[in-house]
Amino acid sequence: MVKEKILVIGASGQIGVELTLALRKIYGNNNVVASDLREQNPLLEGTGPYVSLDVMNKEMLHVQVIRQNITQIYLLAAILSATGEKNPNLAWHLNMQGLLNVLDIAREEKLSKVYWPSSIAVFGPTSPKQSCPQQTIIEPITVYGISKYAGEFWCNYYNQRYGVDVRSLRYPGLISYKSAPGGGTTDYAIEIFHEALENKKYECFLQEDTYLPMMYMPDAIRATIELMEAPAENISIRTSYNISAMSFSPKEITTSIKKHIPEFSINYKPDYRQKIANSWPQSIDDSVAANDWNWKPEYDLDKMVKDMLDNI
Ligand code: NAD
Ligand code: AKB
């Protein structure tokens, strides 16, 4: 059996920290190399190898892959929806070129697997709002969504043409307490907990009735690992799988938080992120993921809220 050695790119981000720690538990600390533009992350320090790496520097990336005998790459480095609208060229450049660099190296070095996340941001105003299906009209309006949709088709292309075993999930908004979020439209659903605990009030940048698909980080990490461990013959989607856990609005998460902090209050001051949120579906149909590799979420709104408040 080939001994797997994994490179996580973007390991210091919101997902990267938790995914790196989860992969280290499975594959052993020294078999999971964390890498990021950032020099180090205190949450990863002492848990295994960490290298400072720019995914845009293909030569350096290639050298690391060969030097460290890497067999799998998890590519998490990206610019998210809200930050992407402030610098569309940079977002397109990083999100596309970073992926192409990794796919090329995976092909050349015959890596066993690649993981790259897409997002519900691929969907646009013409996609169905409720139970948005795997295959549907997809017309994204953000540069982030455009880059994710193009990326999905590059993954499919490298799989069909070169046999690269690249797998992907369209994550909803991810909620977590370990590592800070990186500039998304769904970040309000994390900020709200910190403000509720510290100041008992929160000014929300989305309207009270803005429903969005969301997921708690433990579900997202488990989904990622389950997808990557599934037999290749079960993987029918080589663009990116819809996955889903819950859908709620700022008003609903406030009600749930108030069960624990009755004096908590919220007011609403929508900004440019409202338009992005309005363009996305409110809920997602993940039946293809359920059929192919038995995906099933564990956390609903109230269970997630309790766990967040217990752990922050
Ligand atoms: P994040 O912004 O928290 O982390 C990204 C990390 O990439 C950062 O640590 C950053 O320093 C690093 N990075 C940036 N440029 C780099 C470069 N040139 N080379 C190496 N590293 C670089 O993002 P995240 O929330 O952890 O998201 C990870 C992936 O998951 C992204 O592809 C994102 O689009 C996707 N995703 C995230 C969510 C979410 O809610 N967090 C939802 C859907 C999809
Ligand atoms: C964002 O809001 O940009 C991310 C995402 C849903 O991709 N959380």
Side-chain angles (χ1 to χ4, degrees):
M1 205 173 89
V2 186
K3 192 171 149 227
E4 298 293 350
K5 183 120 187 243
I6 296 174
L7 177 66
V8 182
I9 304 172
S12 277
Q14 189 198 356
I15 303 172
V17 166
E18 299 204 36
L19 189 55
T20 301
L21 293 173
L23 290 169
R24 283 183 172 161
K25 266 195 188 148
I26 298 170
Y27 292 94
N29 286 352
N30 288 331
N31 294 323
V32 181
V33 180
S35 75
D36 202 287
L37 263 190
R38 303 188 222 184
E39 288 291 323
Q40 185 43 288
N41 187 306
L43 294 165
L44 294 175
E45 223 163 342
T47 69
Y50 189 103
V51 292
S52 175
L53 187 117
D54 182 353
V55 72
M56 302 300 280
N57 187 336
K58 191 176 173 187
E59 269 175 46
M60 285 305 292
L61 176 60
H62 206 155
V63 166
Q64 283 293 346
V65 166
I66 293 170
R67 191 183 288 162
Q68 309 253 15
N69 296 315
I70 296 299
T71 62
Q72 297 188 13
I73 295 181
Y74 286 63
L75 170 58
L76 304 171
I79 290 180
L80 278 73
S81 60
T83 311
E85 291 312 287
K86 291 186 182 151
N87 198 337
N89 285 331
L90 183 66
W92 175 257
H93 195 51
L94 172 64
N95 296 1
M96 276 298 86
Q97 200 55 51
L99 174 60
L100 288 171
N101 288 350
V102 167
L103 290 174
D104 266 343
I105 291 169
R107 172 166 74 103
E108 284 165 37
E109 297 307 323
K110 299 190 171 32
L111 299 192
S112 67
K113 279 177 204 162
V114 174
Y115 178 75
W116 170 84
S118 182
S119 162
I120 54 147
V122 293
F123 299 115
T126 48
S127 306
K129 282 278 164 217
Q130 304 301 338
S131 297
C132 188
Q134 179 71 43
Q135 263 111 12
T136 186
I137 300 171
I138 298 193
E139 296 180 325
I141 61 161
T142 60
V143 68
Y144 175 65
I146 299 169
S147 73
K148 288 295 183 190
Y149 199 39
E152 289 188 3
F153 280 92
W154 276 118
C155 290
N156 191 55
Y157 185 86
Y158 270 73
N159 175 260
Q160 301 296 310
R161 175 141 190 208
Y162 304 120
V164 176
D165 187 353
V166 49
R167 305 179 183 197
S168 177
L169 297 173
R170 289 173 178 157
Y171 291 133
L174 299 182
I175 299 161
S176 66
Y177 57 86
K178 284 196 183 140
S179 192
T185 305
T186 57
D187 291 5
Y188 92 85
I190 299 171
E191 289 171 12
I192 195 169
F193 287 99
H194 295 275
E195 294 299 312
L197 286 164
E198 277 161 39
N199 303 316
K200 313 276 181 259
K201 60 180 182 355
Y202 177 60
E203 184 170 277
C204 184
F205 58 75
L206 297 181
Q207 283 162 359
E208 62 176 2
D209 56 352
T210 312
Y211 281 84
L212 286 171
M214 300 278 190
M215 183 177 282
Y216 196 34
M217 190 61 87
D219 272 342
I221 300 295
R222 188 171 51 80
T224 308
I225 289 168
E226 285 177 5
L227 170 72
M228 291 301 277
E229 286 182 347
E233 59 270 24
N234 289 19
I235 308 298
S236 69
I237 302 293
R238 288 294 181 169
T239 49
S240 189
Y241 278 98
N242 277 9
I243 51 163
S244 154
M246 58 184 110
S247 167
F248 58 79
S249 63
K251 191 176 174 185
E252 279 186 2
I253 192 174
T254 300
T255 306
S256 185
I257 291 173
K258 282 177 95 154
K259 289 179 194 162
H260 305 268
I261 308 173
E263 63 276 35
F264 175 58
S265 71
I266 185 166
N267 70 297
Y268 301 93
K269 202 175 168 199
D271 66 14
Y272 70 100
R273 289 168 280 195
Q274 186 66 49
K275 190 176 166 202
I276 302 176
N278 288 348
S279 77
W280 292 346
Q282 297 184 348
S283 62
I284 300 289
D285 172 3
D286 59 1
S287 50
V288 181
N291 279 335
D292 283 4
W293 43 277
N294 297 320
W295 163 244
K296 200 167 176 285
E298 272 177 17
Y299 285 85
D300 61 13
L301 175 60
D302 283 339
K303 194 170 169 194
M304 176 274 289
V305 166
K306 182 174 181 324
D307 205 66
M308 282 290 285
L309 292 171
D310 285 348
N311 282 291
I312 288 178

